[in-house]
Amino acid sequence: MTAAIVQPDPSATDPWWKGAAIYQIYPRSFADSNGDGIGDLAGITAHLDHVASLGMDAVWLSPFFTSPMKDFGYDVANYRDVDPIFGTLDDFDALIARAHELGLRIIIDQVYSHTSDDHPWFQASRASRSGDKADWYVWADPKPDGSPPSNWQSVFGGPAWTWDARRQQYYLHNFLKEQPQLNGHNPAVQQELLDTARFWLDRGVDGFRLDAINFAMHNPSLTDNPPAPATNRARTRSFDFQVKLHNQSHADIPAFLERIRALTDAYGAGFTVAEIGGEDSDREMKLFTAGGKRLDSAYSFDFLYADALTPDLVADSLARWPNDPTIGWPSWAFENHDAPRAVSRWTTPQHANAFARMKLLLLACLRGNIFLYQGEELGLTQVDIAFEDLLDPEAIANWPMTLSRDGARTPMPWVGSAPDLGFGSETPWLPFGSDHGALAIDVQDADAGSLLNWTRRVIATRNAHRALRSGDLRMLYNDDALLAFEREADGERLLCVFNFGETARAWPEGVSHDGSVLIGTQDAIDSLAPFAAMVLRR
């Protein structure tokens, strides 16, 4: 059973992306068209009707560019081509065409802070201190004792500097040593990245997610970072012991973002969203989206690594993005390719189904853009990957203290009874989840009461009400288990109420339950069942 697709009203005055629901596809794990065990662009194209059936506005594609895959595509060796494991540029063009036929826009990752060490730019840069690419990366002489130029540490562990005998210098890498840092201060580098963006815009993409963009520029003085104050959280990486004042977040980044925005604006309806993590992310998210001439939105990490989903967490996160035209527009996600599956992180198997329904309606009621990660609409669980089967370089380096990202990147289950679950290969690059066959798309599609069909109802409701997509938000109540807020636009007021707890609760004190149920996990409005979620039309 496929629900009718409800797309947003094209007569609305908001730009298409404001309040959009965006579906993230991790290409390696979506669908395999040629049986080699790895998902590809043709596989995505063949299954875009599933995404359209959810009522989504757009698709975000994680990297599919030429890469040695040391970090599974986030180490780019050619920004303007498709890696052969994913297909060809013709396959990408076909994907764009099919997406646009279905009313879906395509957002692609752009990785502007670093490349692969296989990139020809880096090969030229390391070959000589005087060539035309000599200063396209961050190089520095050692200290007199031969040690690295600064104390900066890599996100993936260990020093952020690697010695290169060819240049007799160190090069900077904020991630893997195979991901050398581009010198974002260099005008020629900036222009090349802008020209790359233009290349993809000319092929029909509708916008960009800018990966780790706060790492795009560093302090050229190479000043040591100060030690971070102690916290009650375990420090699993050397990176966690510093305040990252000098290796990232340089004051010149916003000017470069303005150049990117000017380019996408020149193409009409382009959309830009920043990925910004770290302790200073709230300030940077606002800085990078300020004034209507930088990026359109910023992608919040508030929920992705949270140990628990609580009313206080939601209320605090929303409070940082008030109804203020001088403050940028947020984007929210509960899951992605780097974070553990939410139903495994935030609840127990006993409550997974009810919790997942509450969580999805909550996401759809948040003020901002929302991102749904592939399989989230199915309630996919985190897969436990044995150490000997790990591929995630961060998890391998920090085992067993870092939870593997592999467990959230396992293949999509399309056909529950098929040996390959409809993915396209019985032996995929990562193993199937043992419980994922029962959650497969064909199984849930045939069940009117499934989480998949609930997701379709939820997104259709969001699309049909501007109050939910882009309206104002007013917080009414939150305690240890209950959350209530209003959304309002065009004279319509909607009350959104949620019970995060495993026990029934009375209606929130002081919150009127006058009105009719627009959508909810229950019909009664005198009390709230465990994991109840409701939207009332006032």
Side-chain angles (χ1 to χ4, degrees), residues 140-474:
D141 292 328
K143 291 180 178 178
D145 63 358
S147 61
S150 73
N151 71 346
W152 300 348
Q153 298 293 299
S154 160
V155 173
F156 288 171
W161 296 96
T162 289
W163 175 254
D164 187 86
R166 297 164 185 81
R167 280 188 50 141
Q168 296 286 292
Q169 286 184 306
Y170 282 93
Y171 68 87
L172 178 65
H173 52 89
N174 282 300
F175 297 91
L176 295 175
K177 66 180 178 60
E178 294 87 1
Q179 294 171 296
Q181 183 74 25
L182 280 167
N183 180 10
H185 295 284
N186 187 323
V189 171
Q190 288 192 21
Q191 188 57 55
E192 183 65 31
L193 295 175
L194 291 168
D195 289 346
T196 293
R198 187 185 302 276
F199 172 86
W200 292 107
L201 289 166
D202 285 340
R203 297 197 91 90
V205 305
D206 301 287
F208 304 113
R209 172 191 173 271
L210 303 181
D211 180 74
I213 194 63
N214 52 341
F215 283 92
M217 297 181 199
H218 65 294
N219 180 348
S221 297
L222 308 184
T223 306
D224 280 355
N225 283 330
T231 69
N232 59 1
R233 298 182 67 89
R235 291 171 168 173
T236 60
R237 308 167 299 177
S238 57
F239 182 78
D240 300 329
F241 286 82
Q242 296 183 355
V243 178
K244 275 68 76 175
L245 292 182
H246 301 293
N247 62 313
Q248 63 183 74
S249 309
H250 193 274
D252 288 348
I253 294 176
F256 177 51
L257 301 182
E258 290 176 9
R259 297 185 69 192
I260 297 171
R261 174 64 180 273
L263 174 63
T264 56
D265 281 355
Y267 278 77
F271 169 62
T272 51
V273 57
E275 182 208 27
I276 305 170
E279 296 85 351
D280 199 28
S281 60
D282 185 67
R283 180 190 68 84
E284 290 186 316
M285 288 168 71
K286 294 182 173 67
L287 176 66
F288 290 1
T289 58
K293 61 179 182 178
R294 294 174 184 169
L295 304 184
D296 295 305
S297 186
Y299 185 80
S300 173
F301 280 70
D302 286 14
F303 303 110
L304 288 170
Y305 298 115
D307 295 330
L309 181 65
T310 66
D312 281 347
L313 174 62
V314 177
D316 290 347
S317 297
L318 293 173
R320 290 198 293 271
W321 293 90
N323 307 322
D324 183 341
T326 67
I327 293 177
W329 185 253
S331 289
W332 308 104
F334 290 162
E335 300 184 12
N336 75 4
H337 64 294
D338 283 335
R341 291 286 187 181
V343 291
S344 297
R345 183 165 31 115
W346 285 338
T347 191
T348 62
Q350 175 187 357
H351 300 296
N353 185 53
F355 178 87
R357 291 167 187 270
M358 183 273 289
K359 173 185 71 73
L360 276 164
L361 186 54
L362 171 65
L363 181 65
C365 290
L366 298 182
R367 178 180 177 272
N369 299 329
I370 61 171
F371 283 79
L372 201 71
Y373 179 48
Q374 65 182 48
E376 190 171 359
E377 73 276 23
L378 306 176
L380 292 191
T381 53
Q382 183 82 0
V383 178
D384 185 16
I385 308 292
F387 175 76
E388 57 270 21
D389 297 325
L390 285 179
L391 299 173
D392 174 13
E394 182 180 13
I396 293 170
N398 296 301
W399 177 265
M401 301 303 294
T402 299
L403 183 64
S404 169
R405 297 177 295 176
D406 293 341
R409 298 176 175 182
T410 56
M412 278 282 282
W414 296 94
V415 181
S417 61
D420 65 352
L421 299 186
F423 175 68
S425 47
E426 292 186 31
T427 308
W429 75 289
L430 284 174
F432 297 112
S434 60
D435 61 339
H436 288 187
L439 299 172
I441 288 171
D442 72 324
V443 175
Q444 296 202 40
D445 196 49
D447 177 3
S450 69
L451 181 64
L452 171 59
N453 281 311
W454 168 251
T455 303
R456 288 168 173 152
R457 284 185 59 202
V458 166
I459 299 300
T461 302
R462 180 178 169 94
N463 285 342
H465 295 270
R466 186 167 174 264
L468 292 179
R469 281 183 66 92
S470 60
D472 291 345
L473 184 146
R474 183 166 69 99

